[in-house]
Amino acid sequence: MSEQNGGSNFPYEKEELKPEVKAELAKYYASEPDFVTVGPKKYIFLRPYLEDVENVYHMPLRPSDVFVVTYQRSGTTWTQELVWLLANDLDYETAAKIPITERYPFLELFMFFNKEWQQDLLERYEDKDKALDLIEKIAKPVSERLRLAPSPRFIKSHLPMCLLPPKILDTAKVVYVARDPRDVAVSCYHHSKLFKVLDFPSPFKDFWNLFIRNLFTETPFFEHVKEAWEMKDHPNMLFLFYEELIKDLPAAIRRVADFLGKEVTPEQMARLCDHLSFENFKKNESVNYEELREYGVLSSEEKFMRKGKAGGWRSYFDEEMTQQAEKWIEDNLKDTDLRFPTVN
């Protein structure tokens, strides 16, 4: 069943999942996610996304805007910190004071926190003002907040390029980061266990089979990456691979600095690399999302920052899954020159 747009200015149809697909998802999740799909590529979202889909798509842009866009768990937070520091003349003091969640409004974060979640938080949290503040920060669309925000604005999104404002590259800058889909799947699996709102208690193999069938949020993965890859030569698009940042962080920093029109001295480079080293990064309270733990949003057994490496998928895949992944990747790269770097 699809919803026609009628008088809407949003060009894509929204469709319900088939009843048998919903029933299958209910077997794996602790609470059945209410997914819908959007557009001809059937990107999958939690239903609340539809509440702000038009405002996001038609969002007024400014030449000073900088977007960091990724398919989730592709090195987003790492890149956000790198981009923000370079754009703000390496102001470590402000970066430490202001959580990255406040420095970068997350366009579609609100879709993970529906009305039932908000009501539940208010009922069980004694400090109502604090609960309302959290709801305002993470459960409400940010399009209005962005309209009022001073320039320059730094914006995070996991939306595919087709669902962001259509003229985005004519006005703003976009840094897009891609990562090996096998590592993405493993990291998304842990992410869905970290955030209680997703609550995926089933084994990784079950998650993997849903992921490659485009039954996890904001899949299909390959369509997401290929849309950005096709725009990689636009002067306002910088396309990075997570594996490149892992292999040669100084080279990646230089590319980002050039893209933003900034220069980095050798001394500044050494300090920035140290700041962004995984050991330091995971201890950085401004970027590790630990402030959400006191609200009961996060599971006690998982961390937002996990391993910070490439190739960790090998510890999770059996022979059958490895072969399945190889075929899946090969099939999806047939029509493109996109190739993921390997890091030994």
Side-chain angles (χ1 to χ4, degrees):
M1 177 182 144
S2 66
E3 176 188 327
Q4 297 297 327
N5 296 312
S8 164
N9 289 320
F10 184 70
Y12 303 117
E13 288 186 352
K14 305 102 174 184
E15 295 186 12
E16 299 292 332
L17 295 187
K18 293 177 180 177
E20 59 270 25
V21 175
K22 287 187 175 184
E24 181 183 2
L25 288 172
K27 292 190 303 185
Y28 298 114
Y29 284 87
S31 56
E32 182 183 346
D34 188 10
F35 285 137
V36 294
T37 67
V38 177
K41 295 175 183 175
K42 299 192 183 302
Y43 285 108
I44 192 166
F45 297 97
L46 290 161
R47 188 176 302 277
Y49 166 64
L50 301 182
E51 295 171 15
D52 207 44
V53 63
E54 288 188 50
N55 288 332
V56 169
Y57 189 77
H58 294 292
M59 173 185 154
L61 299 171
R62 306 172 190 170
S64 57
D65 289 342
V66 181
F67 287 74
V68 172
V69 181
T70 67
Y71 183 84
Q72 57 194 299
R73 309 307 292 168
S74 296
T76 320
T77 308
W78 203 23
T79 307
Q80 286 176 261
E81 182 79 343
L82 165 56
V83 167
W84 193 93
L85 282 168
L86 287 173
N88 288 277
D89 301 319
L90 301 172
D91 184 355
Y92 293 99
E93 186 178 351
T94 301
K97 277 188 208 167
I98 304 175
I100 203 160
T101 50
E102 294 181 28
R103 285 181 275 143
Y104 279 84
F106 180 4
L107 275 184
E108 68 276 17
L109 176 64
F110 69 94
M111 76 176 179
F112 292 97
F113 305 101
N114 60 24
K115 298 289 192 297
E116 290 79 12
W117 179 89
Q118 295 176 43
Q119 189 59 41
D120 178 64
L121 182 73
L122 284 170
E123 288 174 0
R124 62 186 167 79
Y125 207 79
E126 290 183 11
D127 188 336
K128 302 303 180 193
D129 288 340
K130 204 166 184 181
L132 286 168
D133 183 56
L134 181 70
I135 287 170
E136 190 64 34
K137 283 181 178 177
I138 72 174
K140 301 292 185 187
V142 300
S143 50
E144 179 64 13
R145 182 151 48 105
L146 279 169
R147 188 181 70 80
L148 300 171
S151 297
R153 301 181 303 183
F154 297 85
I155 302 164
K156 166 187 171 179
S157 182
H158 296 315
L159 294 175
M161 294 300 297
C162 69
L163 297 181
L164 290 168
K167 301 289 188 183
I168 188 170
L169 291 180
D170 293 339
T171 305
K173 288 186 180 293
V174 175
V175 178
Y176 186 96
V177 190
R179 185 183 187 185
D180 186 306
R182 295 163 293 193
D183 280 328
V184 168
V186 170
S187 193
C188 282
Y189 171 65
H190 284 281
H191 203 56
S192 67
K193 296 170 85 65
L194 169 67
F195 282 89
K196 291 182 178 179
V197 69
L198 290 171
D199 204 0
F200 192 88
S202 305
F204 173 68
K205 194 164 190 174
D206 291 336
F207 181 88
W208 167 250
N209 284 319
L210 293 177
F211 187 78
I212 62 172
R213 289 166 54 215
N214 305 326
L215 292 174
F216 185 63
T217 52
E218 296 173 284
T219 56
F221 170 85
F222 277 105
E223 294 303 326
H224 197 296
V225 177
K226 286 190 285 189
E227 281 187 21
W229 181 253
E230 288 170 6
M231 302 174 181
K232 70 182 187 306
D233 295 327
H234 193 289
N236 277 342
M237 165 72 86
L238 177 62
F239 191 105
L240 299 170
F241 286 102
Y242 178 80
E243 290 79 9
E244 293 174 335
L245 275 79
I246 290 282
K247 189 173 183 178
D248 192 344
L249 183 57
I253 289 172
R254 282 190 286 272
R255 286 187 64 195
V256 176
D258 288 346
F259 181 65
L260 297 174
K262 300 289 183 175
E263 293 186 5
V264 182
T265 67
E267 294 78 11
Q268 290 171 330
M269 177 69 77
R271 183 177 177 188
L272 186 53
C273 285
D274 183 62
H275 178 80
L276 294 171
S277 70
F278 184 72
E279 285 308 307
N280 286 332
F281 204 61
K282 71 180 181 181
K283 293 183 287 190
N284 183 341
E285 292 182 359
S286 178
V287 300
N288 64 19
Y289 287 72
E290 286 297 306
E291 75 272 13
L292 295 178
R293 200 171 291 281
E294 66 171 293
Y295 294 97
V297 174
L298 306 182
S299 161
S300 60
E301 297 176 4
E302 295 282 344
K303 296 284 188 183
F304 187 83
M305 302 287 175
R306 289 187 54 254
K307 303 290 186 183
K309 66 178 185 178
W313 63 268
R314 293 181 179 86
S315 302
Y316 289 77
F317 282 60
D318 59 25
E319 185 58 34
E320 177 191 15
M321 295 163 71
T322 299
Q323 292 179 8
Q324 188 182 31
E326 287 174 0
K327 184 177 188 309
W328 177 60
I329 293 170
E330 181 182 351
D331 289 347
N332 279 282
L333 295 183
K334 279 179 180 172
D335 61 348
T336 177
D337 60 351
L338 167 68
R339 296 295 180 269
F340 292 90
T342 55
V343 177
N344 296 326

